Amino acid sequence: MKSMGRHHLVSKFVATYDKLFDGYTPEEISPHESPAQFWANLLSLNVDSVHLGKRLRALAKEDLLTAHKPLVNTLVATCLLHLRTAQPGDAKKGNAATTLALMLRCVLEKGLVGWEAMEIVAGSVGQSDSVFLNLTSTIEDIISDEAAPADLKHQVLQLAVVFACSISQLSPGAYLLRRDLFPAITSIIKSPETEAFTFEAALFLSIVANFHRTDAAKLNPYLSSIRKTEDRELMRALVYSANYTMDSVVKAYQEILDDSPPTFASSMSSLLASFRPDRALSATPVDPPRELFKNQPIEAAVILLPVHDFLHLNTVFNAVLMEPFISDAPSGPASSVSASDTVLSSKGPALTPLVHTLLSLSSYLLTHASSPQRPRASAYAALALATLLRLAENDVAMSALTTTATEEHEWGKALPAKYHWEELWRSLISLLDFLSAKMSDSSKVEQLVQETIILLDFSVRHAESYLGSPQAVHQLVYELVRSLSTIQKQHPFCQPASSAGTSGGVRRPGSPSSPAHALRRLIECTTHYVRRVHESGAAPGSAVAVLRVIALDVERDGLVGARERNEEEAPRHSDDVGEAGFVRFAYVDGLALMPGPDS
């Protein structure tokens, strides 16, 4: 409905858009201009993002599908026209990108379905090909244009991120797959003039790579390009950007509570211990107030998604990631970012390698992810675990990290961590006790029990290769001995039929790495030392006496179970976990980092 004129002073931009949203036509607003000239002049004005966003957000979905649909259609078409045809340096070109990003963002947040998005943005489902393909081709042409100014490329890259995040998994997102923007995006990352925009470029690649990933993977050119690229210069730029960004996320945690960096082992203990009834129901807080971290991690943590995807899909990225730990890594200007032991930043002190930063970030994410009221934090923690799992299951990475014990010791000095194995063992066993007693009817819990048993089994069989002292090995055995009854209660969860049904076929029920075999070995090992303690006459309630018996037996005969080395390849699970439940949070955080009506 048309409203009465306003008497207070407003900018021409605000006054014109207010009249448009109130139902006035261009001819009524400016009768002496042609429609084409009217829209061109409007795009010449500085964009008031806050006001335009406010007017767009005030419209209901029904308004956008009816009375205001022609206005939105015309604005989209006009912005695309001037974004494509205006000369570099013309204000209309940049303002068109800003206006289009605002409109897409505010319109697509209305909870639309696919055909509604096509109707509102393109005018009709029949016109969607023309409009959306025009959008994607315009983005590609400007980003890949060597003559285009860097600031314009940045605006258009941000437009691409806004569109990809706003359209989420709706059907018009498929138009981003109709053109392969991978070469254009990588040119942004590799060019000295635009390398500062690597974060946005990497985020865009991961967002579009995850579009209907499970059911359209073969049709997604970005997945294929990420998997096939061998461009080490590209990889090093990604590693540098991810490292710098993750370091800022870690610092955001440390600014809230100035603590020493948590270790990965202690953080896992914190996460697992939070499941224990004595911690979950405690009236007395045992950790810093969760309220302090309710907004953590900061949105920049979304860089974890590109790191996860490249680590999963590309072997060259894995090799580049490990360059700081390889003595014969290439040197020179093209590789100096990752081939050294530290990454130097002109804006601050040297950074440790990305692997170290990833571990530190994961520690914080896991420490503060135990609240069910914070699904976003839990999703980040899950993605961090999936990323670390891919790293652990990657032969290139593990070969680099475990070349020799001496080398491990040297690079390990830089890792801001001390291992708290005792707390980890207790948390794992407490988790088993809690799950078996309280949640035995859940298939997901059944799988968690199986994985925990297998983890404990692997921990025993390979204890002497990673625990730093004989005392640490003795402590592991002691924790098992005092928890034999809890371990024995896991029989119902680890039977062959049950194992086959919940492990997705990753482990054959009769294989040495099956839950049933793992539980049998664990019980045999634990029972052996329980028997030795009884035979010695040591008081079961005396930790010192029990540890002394265990130490003497291990030192005399070796660790029971450790000599049974499984030649079968360790079970791999990284294909079963990852980004699927995280992407919706990536959309939200990606949008929050882009210029918009709230910035």
Side-chain angles (χ1 to χ4, degrees):
M1 179 181 294
K2 299 179 182 179
S3 61
M4 298 297 292
R6 294 172 174 80
H7 300 291
H8 57 281
L9 293 176
V10 295
S11 68
K12 184 177 181 180
F13 179 94
V14 170
T16 303
Y17 269 103
D18 279 349
K19 289 180 179 179
L20 287 170
F21 282 106
D22 286 345
Y24 289 88
T25 66
E27 292 81 3
E28 292 173 319
I29 298 171
S30 185
H32 302 296
E33 291 179 332
S34 66
Q37 188 62 45
F38 169 84
W39 293 112
N41 289 339
L42 181 57
L43 284 179
S44 298
L45 303 175
N46 292 333
V47 179
D48 186 336
S49 299
V50 174
H51 185 77
L52 181 55
K54 181 179 179 181
R55 292 305 306 248
L56 286 166
R57 284 176 166 170
L59 298 175
K61 180 171 70 172
E62 291 72 21
D63 297 327
L64 291 169
L65 285 167
T66 54
H68 286 82
K69 177 181 168 184
L71 173 59
V72 175
N73 296 160
T74 303
L75 277 171
V76 169
T78 301
C79 288
L80 284 173
L81 173 66
H82 288 279
L83 183 58
R84 176 173 284 278
T85 61
Q87 295 299 310
D90 188 335
K92 293 192 291 293
K93 204 173 188 75
N95 289 341
T98 301
T99 303
L100 187 55
L102 274 169
M103 293 184 61
L104 290 172
R105 182 176 190 156
C106 294
V107 166
L108 294 174
E109 68 184 18
K110 303 289 184 181
L112 309 177
V113 296
W115 72 265
E116 291 173 331
M118 294 179 185
E119 286 283 338
I120 294 172
V121 175
S124 69
V125 174
Q127 293 176 290
S128 60
D129 274 12
S130 173
V131 173
F132 284 108
L133 288 177
N134 186 13
L135 171 62
T136 55
S137 64
T138 300
I139 291 172
E140 180 182 27
D141 292 345
I142 293 176
I143 288 178
S144 59
D145 183 4
E146 295 182 359
D151 59 346
L152 177 62
K153 288 186 176 183
H154 193 201
Q155 279 186 287
V156 173
L157 176 60
Q158 290 177 330
L159 167 62
V161 172
V162 167
F163 176 55
C165 291
S166 298
I167 204 68
S168 62
Q169 300 288 310
L170 297 181
S171 55
Y175 287 105
L176 287 167
L177 310 187
R178 299 269 289 270
R179 300 183 71 96
D180 185 3
L181 275 65
F182 188 84
I185 297 298
T186 56
S187 71
I188 288 279
I189 297 172
K190 295 171 61 177
S191 171
E193 290 76 22
T194 55
E195 63 183 1
F197 316 140
T198 296
F199 174 87
E200 290 104 320
L203 176 59
F204 175 78
L205 286 179
S206 271
I207 291 295
V208 292
N210 282 284
F211 180 78
H212 285 278
R213 184 160 179 167
T214 56
D215 56 356
K218 294 182 179 179
L219 304 176
N220 194 314
Y222 302 95
L223 280 176
S224 177
S225 295
I226 292 174
R227 183 178 291 110
K228 293 179 180 178
T229 184
E230 298 180 356
D231 190 335
R232 287 177 176 261
E233 181 184 354
L234 169 68
M235 306 298 179
R236 293 184 183 111
L238 289 171
V239 166
Y240 175 81
S241 178
N243 199 13
Y244 188 84
T245 305
M246 286 187 186
D247 184 66
S248 69
V249 180
V250 170
K251 284 183 170 60
Y253 276 108
Q254 294 172 343
E255 288 173 1
I256 294 174
L257 187 65
D258 187 16
D259 58 350
S260 59
T263 70
F264 181 68
S266 64
S267 297
M268 283 297 298
S269 299
S270 175
L271 179 66
L272 294 170
S274 69
F275 297 142
R276 288 159 39 188
D278 61 315
R279 296 287 295 273
L281 303 178
S282 174
T284 304
V286 291
D287 295 311
R290 291 175 178 173
E291 194 70 13
L292 292 175
F293 300 94
K294 65 179 182 180
N295 296 321
Q296 299 299 311
I298 60 174
E299 290 85 355
V302 75
I303 193 64
L304 187 60
L305 181 61
V307 171
H308 169 274
D309 288 343
F310 273 86
L311 189 64
H312 172 42
L313 296 170
N314 192 283
T315 56
V316 177
F317 182 82
N318 284 273
V320 170
L321 190 64
M322 292 300 112
E323 283 181 357
F325 310 110
I326 302 175
S327 58
D328 60 349
S331 59
S335 61
S336 59
V337 165
S338 294
S340 61
D341 287 337
T342 58
V343 179
L344 299 179
S345 169
S346 60
K347 298 182 180 180
L351 302 180
T352 57
L354 177 57
V355 171
H356 292 175
T357 312
L358 173 61
L359 284 170
S360 294
L361 174 59
S362 299
S363 296
Y364 281 103
L365 293 173
L366 291 166
T367 299
H368 302 290
S370 58
S371 172
Q373 286 75 39
R374 300 178 59 221
R376 175 178 173 271
S378 297
Y380 269 101
L383 184 64
L385 285 173
T387 304
L388 294 175
L389 180 59
R390 297 196 189 284
L391 186 67
E393 293 184 352
N394 183 273
D395 294 336
V396 174
M398 288 299 99
S399 175
L401 292 176
T402 59
T403 302
T404 66
T406 301
E407 289 177 354
E408 285 183 44
H409 177 70
E410 290 303 316
W411 73 258
K413 289 179 181 177
L415 189 64
K418 295 180 180 178
Y419 297 105
H420 298 272
W421 298 111
E422 178 180 343
E423 178 66 16
L424 180 59
W425 309 138
R426 291 179 180 177
S427 296
L428 288 170
I429 293 168
S430 294
L431 177 62
L432 284 176
D433 189 41
F434 176 55
L435 294 176
S436 61
K438 304 294 185 182
M439 305 172 67
S440 59
D441 59 339
S442 168
S443 60
K444 289 185 177 180
V445 169
E446 183 176 276
Q447 185 172 3
L448 179 56
V449 169
Q450 294 175 4
E451 299 298 340
T452 306
I453 289 295
I454 290 170
L455 172 58
L456 287 171
D457 175 52
F458 266 68
S459 299
V460 171
R461 290 194 287 120
H462 300 281
E464 294 172 337
S465 66
Y466 69 91
L467 291 177
S469 67
Q471 291 75 21
V473 176
H474 305 158
Q475 187 67 44
L476 168 58
V477 176
Y478 172 74
E479 297 300 335
L480 295 175
V481 165
R482 65 197 293 263
S483 308
L484 177 59
S485 62
T486 296
I487 297 172
Q488 290 173 326
K489 286 192 296 185
Q490 311 311 314
H491 269 297
F493 300 101
C494 297
Q495 297 308 305
S498 175
S499 304
T502 59
S503 61
V506 176
R507 300 183 186 86
R508 298 183 303 276
S511 71
S513 63
S514 69
H517 280 73
L519 181 61
R520 176 184 58 79
R521 285 190 297 264
L522 205 54
I523 291 176
E524 288 177 355
C525 169
T526 306
T527 302
H528 169 84
Y529 291 105
V530 169
R531 186 166 56 249
R532 287 287 188 265
V533 170
H534 288 324
E535 291 172 353
S536 71
S542 171
V544 173
V546 173
L547 273 168
R548 185 182 299 115
V549 174
I550 292 171
L552 289 173
D553 195 85
V554 171
E555 291 170 8
R556 182 181 63 249
D557 300 326
L559 179 62
V560 171
R563 289 171 288 184
E564 183 186 345
R565 292 306 178 110
N566 179 14
E567 298 301 326
E568 182 184 83
E569 182 181 359
R572 295 177 182 264
H573 300 278
S574 57
D575 288 337
D576 301 327
V577 297
E579 64 293 316
F582 176 80
V583 177
R584 65 189 178 98
F585 296 102
Y587 297 146
V588 175
D589 286 356
L591 283 172
L593 292 166
M594 297 299 106
D598 302 317
S599 58

